[in-house]
């Protein structure tokens, strides 16, 4: 017992319990990482789609004198 510092520390969980908690934490972090990656991929797809729509509509010829529309309504 003296050679194992974890077993002599007061209030220690012991080696097995700590390892299990550590493994559970990594499993949760892996799940969060996967969700973040999927969210980023989804947002990239949405941004590409919006940029395509903007580029398609910006090629529409505008008649001279036609007022331009502020898509942000002056908020930005």
């Amino acid at each position: 017992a003296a050679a194992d510092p974890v077993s002599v520390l007061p209030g220690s969980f012991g080696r097995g319990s700590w390892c299990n908690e550590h493994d559970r934490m990594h499993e949760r972090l892996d799940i969060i990482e996967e969700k973040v990656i999927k969210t980023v991929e989804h947002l990239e797809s949405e941004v590409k789609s919006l940029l395509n729509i903007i580029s398609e509509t910006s090629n529409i010829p505008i008649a001279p004198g036609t007022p331009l529309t502020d898509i942000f309504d002056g908020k930005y």
Side-chain angles (χ1 to χ4, degrees):
D4 186 6
V6 173
S7 64
V8 296
L9 290 175
S12 68
F13 293 109
R15 199 173 291 256
S17 177
W18 183 86
C19 287
N20 290 338
E21 181 64 26
H22 184 80
D23 289 343
R24 284 193 301 272
M25 181 178 65
H26 276 283
E27 289 172 5
R28 288 189 299 244
L29 288 173
D30 289 342
I31 292 169
I32 292 169
E33 180 183 20
E34 183 179 334
K35 287 182 179 182
V36 168
I37 289 170
K38 286 181 180 181
T39 300
V40 168
E41 289 172 350
H42 174 75
L43 291 173
E44 285 177 340
S45 172
E46 290 293 316
V47 167
K48 285 179 185 177
S49 177
L50 289 171
L51 289 174
N52 284 337
I53 291 170
I54 290 170
S55 69
E56 289 171 3
T57 58
S58 66
N59 292 333
I60 298 172
I62 299 175
T66 303
L68 297 177
T69 303
D70 182 1
I71 62 170
F72 297 111
D73 294 326
K75 293 179 183 175
Y76 299 98

